[in-house]
Amino acid sequence: MHTRGIISTAAFVLASSTLVHGAVYTVGVGKDENTGKLGLGFDPSSIRPTAGDTIVFQFNAGDHVVIQTTFANPCTPMDGGYNSGVQSVPAGTPVDAAGLPTTTFALTSTDPLYFYDGAPNQCHLGGVFTVNPPLSGDGTAAQFLENAKSTPEQASTSAAPTPTSSAASAATSSAAPTTSANSAVGNFATASGAALAVAGIAGALFSSLL
């Protein structure tokens, strides 16, 4: 009975570690998703994570600010929504360089989310980002992009400083995550590290029974 109890505890710890560590999606801001170089918008411009996952916004050269908005009124800050604060990176800094500033957004629900780059005219030109938008009907990523492009040009950056982490609503889907390659490697390493650590604990418990 004692051995069975220890095995059950180890299994519970392993299962819990898997649930606690959600995926991390790295999203480049001021990076062209088609070329992988510095440019307009976000890379990737749309993702389909699940509740419990985290988005890490990585800011490339220039002045950028990630602002949460709504599908109906793109390029306008949503009341109470996420705002990364302006992140400034010197011109000429290579894309995805080490040490770039980042902010995080914690996902807690399955609602579609809409964001834009608040740097001057970026939203109007198509610098937008979606999380779990509907795949058809109203609210799709393509519709949101068109809505943004039809808005008046912005004259200045919206820079109200807010916390760099948010536990606001989020999203989920059964579709495969569209993270960047670097993010996928990081997720794998994190999950593997956690699993190995728990496996080590379980192994020590089993050894004590011998």
Side-chain angles (χ1 to χ4, degrees), residues 1-8 10 202-210:
M1 294 295 292
H2 180 64
T3 300
R4 186 174 301 171
I6 291 179
I7 293 175
S8 298
L205 289 173
F206 294 148
S207 296
S208 66
L209 299 176
L210 300 177

Side-chain angles (χ1 to χ4, degrees), residues 56-136:
V56 175
F57 292 109
Q58 184 180 65
F59 296 84
N60 287 284
D63 296 327
H64 299 281
V65 51
V66 177
I67 302 173
Q68 189 173 5
T69 185
T70 63
F71 173 76
N73 295 293
C75 308
T76 300
M78 184 180 81
D79 289 343
Y82 179 80
N83 184 317
S84 67
V86 176
Q87 306 294 321
S88 299
V89 177
T93 302
V95 67
D96 295 337
L100 290 174
T102 61
T103 64
T104 61
F105 185 93
L107 301 170
T108 62
S109 85
T110 58
D111 298 332
L113 301 175
Y114 302 91
F115 301 85
Y116 68 97
D117 185 348
N121 296 325
Q122 294 296 288
C123 183
H124 171 74
L125 293 174
V128 296
F129 170 66
T130 58
V131 176
N132 286 342
L135 297 177
S136 61

Side-chain angles (χ1 to χ4, degrees), residues 11-192:
F12 173 78
V13 171
L14 180 59
S16 297
S17 69
T18 302
L19 294 174
V20 169
H21 295 282
V24 177
Y25 289 74
T26 299
V27 177
V29 185
K31 179 181 177 183
D32 188 318
E33 70 174 340
N34 296 312
T35 66
K37 299 179 180 180
L38 296 175
L40 174 71
F42 298 79
D43 178 35
S45 62
S46 187
I47 60 174
R48 307 195 71 79
T50 188
D53 292 347
T54 300
I55 300 172
V56 175
F57 292 109
Q58 184 180 65
F59 296 84
N60 287 284
D63 296 327
H64 299 281
V65 51
V66 177
I67 302 173
Q68 189 173 5
T69 185
T70 63
F71 173 76
N73 295 293
C75 308
T76 300
M78 184 180 81
D79 289 343
Y82 179 80
N83 184 317
S84 67
V86 176
Q87 306 294 321
S88 299
V89 177
T93 302
V95 67
D96 295 337
L100 290 174
T102 61
T103 64
T104 61
F105 185 93
L107 301 170
T108 62
S109 85
T110 58
D111 298 332
L113 301 175
Y114 302 91
F115 301 85
Y116 68 97
D117 185 348
N121 296 325
Q122 294 296 288
C123 183
H124 171 74
L125 293 174
V128 296
F129 170 66
T130 58
V131 176
N132 286 342
L135 297 177
S136 61
D138 293 333
T140 65
Q143 290 175 331
F144 179 58
L145 175 61
E146 290 306 310
N147 285 354
K149 288 183 175 180
S150 67
T151 60
E153 294 185 8
Q154 298 165 283
S156 61
T157 301
S158 178
T162 60
T164 58
S165 179
S166 172
S169 344
T172 187
S173 169
S174 59
T178 54
T179 58
S180 65
N182 288 340
S183 177
V185 172
N187 296 342
F188 178 79
T190 300
S192 298

